[in-house]
Amino acid sequence: MAEKLLNWDEVLIGAAIKEPGNSRQYETGSWRVERPVWNPDTCIQCMFCWVYCPDSAILVDENGKMAGVNYTFCKGCGICVEQCPSKPKSLKMILEAEAKGKSEEELRKEVFSEDK
Amino acid sequence: MALLNELAKKKEGLVSGHRLCPGCTHSVIMRQVFAVAETDKYDIVVAAATGCFEVSTGLYPYTSWNVPWIHTAFENAASTISGVEAMYRALKKKGKLNKEIRFIAVASDGGTYDIGLQALSGAIERGHQFLYICNDNNAYQNTGNQRSSATPFAGSTTTSPNGKVKFGKEQPRKDIVSIIEGHHLPYTAQASPSNWRDLMNKIKKALDINGPTYINVLEPCTTGWGFPPHMAIEIAQLAVDTCVWPLYEVIKGKVVINYKPKKKLPVTEYLKPQKRFAHLFKKGNEHLIEEFQKQVDAHWEWLLKREECGIEYGV
């Protein structure tokens, strides 16, 4: 949330917002019940997860390649997992409670232990 | 068109932090629009009608838009954008502005099919250069799933509930594309976020046209339609594969169908995962599914025949 609400005389005319895209200050990742875990070894870089992500929460590197999931904003809807076409799937959902306190690397090993 | 890797490098027009439900496809559609818009050649200005998308991306003091965005009221997204466009043309004529700008109005079915229809019709008739995108989620989902004229036959909503007497909405949905097409505008299309390449092609075509254009996009609503959030894109795909939501465009009156499913699935495939149609699968309601299928088939056949005719307007 904004640190302090604006006074009536501080609000711009027409309730204009000066800073574009400032909703990035609001973290929607806390809504998540499940989280997607990414396996770069089986990922085929089709970018379907990126094109279908409702929250722009797929990280993209400078070459336009998938580079992980942004857990600050990911709401855990699971569309990326559903649409992942690689076999075996390079994205899998796990419960947020199970992910607690574990590093991304640990989670990856745990979730994808059966896949290569 | 460029590969997705190329498009992914671009700056996002709609950023994270908006408060749409998890699994909502409103933002998926808009992200695909921004991905294909040639933002290096022109700037984009967006006007929005009231609806889920407006309230969750423009929650004061936050905005999720990286482009100039304006909201006035429910019914006048089209009037707002035509005013902005008229001002742009006037300033350009006077030499006070020499930027290229494209104008987009975004609304849901409530702000297009019902409340905003008059404003939209007027704006198209006046011939402003703008693209109107209708994210059709089949009801007033922002206020909690009330029936609109886009709600399909037999769909259960809070104002057309199913029960002992009624079976949901009794009327078929409004064919908005035909209504808009009646304005004889240069380009009208229907698209779905599941077929992103098709949607992007249509957006690109529409943005390059000098005149009013309209695109109707299916927007599966996880909360209102009652399906798990991860199925959103799958539902959109099923709508396309069952021909409930045909992908087609109308260019100067000529119909072009962009996608013909190899095997047309029965509508039950589309209806089954959705809670709003759950009552159709109860015993004694088989005739409703038959009626639904009949309506879908009739519309599909009509489109196929129109495509076969291939007649353009004489203008």
Side-chain angles (χ1 to χ4, degrees):
Chain A
M1 281 298 288
E3 277 173 15
K4 188 182 146 282
L5 290 176
L6 294 174
N7 262 335
W8 66 270
D9 54 349
E10 291 166 334
V11 173
L12 293 177
I13 291 174
I17 304 167
K18 267 200 275 185
E19 195 188 336
N22 65 353
S23 70
R24 266 179 291 207
Q25 293 162 17
Y26 188 88
E27 298 182 5
T28 50
S30 59
W31 300 10
R32 199 169 52 237
V33 182
E34 287 180 294
R35 71 157 65 184
V37 182
W38 178 51
N39 183 7
D41 300 334
T42 51
C43 178
I44 54 169
Q45 294 293 348
C46 65
M47 300 305 279
F48 282 8
C49 51
W50 172 81
V51 82
Y52 290 132
C53 178
D55 294 294
S56 324
I58 300 295
L59 296 167
V60 179
D61 67 8
E62 68 275 14
N63 300 319
K65 287 193 169 172
M66 157 80 166
V69 181
N70 187 344
Y71 294 113
T72 321
F73 297 113
C74 171
K75 291 175 190 157
C77 66
I79 289 181
C80 53
V81 175
E82 201 62 29
Q83 295 300 323
C84 181
S86 74
K87 279 176 192 157
K89 277 194 190 293
S90 326
L91 282 157
K92 277 186 187 172
M93 288 311 257
I94 58 158
L95 278 173
E96 196 60 28
E98 285 169 23
K100 221 174 182 182
K102 290 174 192 163
S103 77
E104 230 172 288
E105 198 52 46
E106 279 172 346
L107 278 175
R108 207 169 276 166
K109 269 187 198 153
E110 201 179 300
V111 177
F112 294 101
S113 56
E114 286 153 39
D115 310 337
K116 192 173 72 83
Chain B
M1 199 206 304
L3 290 167
L4 282 182
N5 295 83
E6 288 301 313
L7 301 178
K9 281 190 225 168
K10 277 173 68 177
K11 195 180 161 197
E12 297 259 1
L14 183 81
V15 301
S16 325
H18 54 71
R19 280 147 232 199
L20 291 164
C21 307
C24 177
T25 41
H26 268 303
S27 46
V28 179
I29 297 164
M30 208 57 214
R31 287 185 60 238
Q32 293 183 4
V33 171
F34 280 117
V36 73
E38 293 170 285
T39 36
D40 49 334
K41 287 190 194 156
Y42 46 74
D43 289 345
I44 288 177
V45 173
V46 179
T50 307
C52 288
F53 201 25
E54 177 266 320
V55 295
S56 47
T57 56
L59 207 66
Y60 196 79
Y62 296 114
T63 174
S64 303
W65 298 81
N66 247 342
V67 296
W69 179 85
I70 179 169
H71 163 69
T72 42
F74 206 147
E75 64 278 16
N76 59 6
S79 322
T80 306
I81 206 71
S82 39
V84 178
E85 193 259 359
M87 182 195 69
Y88 162 72
R89 265 192 309 179
L91 288 175
K92 214 173 174 187
K93 205 171 160 189
K94 286 182 186 164
K96 288 185 180 169
L97 194 75
N98 53 8
K99 260 188 197 169
E100 267 305 303
I101 304 180
R102 294 286 188 278
F103 300 90
I104 301 179
V106 196
S108 295
D109 56 301
T112 308
Y113 285 63
D114 302 341
I115 302 175
L117 187 58
Q118 187 189 10
L120 173 60
S121 176
I124 294 176
E125 189 264 335
R126 289 189 299 271
H128 294 280
Q129 193 207 338
F130 72 107
L131 162 62
Y132 194 97
I133 302 172
C134 169
N135 295 342
D136 184 347
N137 50 23
N138 287 185
Y140 291 86
Q141 305 296 6
N142 177 30
T143 42
N145 198 17
Q146 286 87 15
R147 162 205 194 282
S148 81
S149 57
T151 309
F153 172 76
S156 177
T157 66
T158 49
T159 47
S160 65
N162 75 295
K164 279 181 195 153
V165 185
K166 297 278 168 88
F167 54 83
K169 192 184 167 188
E170 290 163 284
Q171 302 82 4
R173 51 178 280 123
K174 199 190 259 180
D175 180 7
I176 191 80
V177 178
S178 297
I179 295 171
I180 301 298
E181 192 208 314
H183 295 78
H184 293 198
L185 73 174
Y187 187 78
T188 323
Q190 186 157 279
S192 156
S194 57
N195 300 49
W196 56 267
R197 194 180 289 274
D198 176 69
L199 173 63
M200 286 187 188
N201 278 335
K202 284 171 179 165
I203 296 289
K204 194 168 179 312
K205 245 186 230 177
L207 284 174
D208 286 342
I209 287 172
N210 186 9
T213 47
Y214 176 89
I215 298 182
N216 208 28
V217 191
L218 183 68
E219 195 279 304
C221 173
T222 157
T223 331
W225 298 12
F227 59 82
H230 64 87
M231 279 185 74
I233 299 294
E234 223 176 313
I235 295 276
Q237 186 64 53
L238 282 171
V240 172
D241 284 335
T242 51
C243 295
V244 169
W245 195 263
L247 304 181
Y248 67 104
E249 48 192 8
V250 188
I251 309 160
K252 288 185 188 160
K254 193 178 143 187
V255 171
V256 180
I257 299 176
N258 307 97
Y259 177 78
K260 286 176 194 156
K262 275 190 196 119
K263 192 172 165 277
K264 186 164 162 266
L265 298 174
V267 287
T268 44
E269 298 283 318
Y270 169 68
L271 305 177
K272 199 128 209 187
Q274 302 179 44
K275 255 190 219 140
R276 60 172 177 159
F277 293 121
H279 59 287
L280 299 186
F281 294 91
K282 279 191 194 142
K283 230 180 166 183
N285 278 345
E286 291 82 2
H287 66 285
L288 293 174
I289 295 183
E290 267 169 45
E291 174 63 27
F292 196 104
Q293 180 77 59
K294 225 169 82 188
Q295 288 181 12
V296 169
D297 287 347
H299 189 73
W300 179 243
E301 285 300 318
W302 179 69
L303 278 179
L304 285 174
K305 289 216 175 95
R306 281 194 65 192
E307 191 192 32
E308 210 181 299
C309 284
I311 304 172
E312 267 188 35
Y313 303 133
V315 269

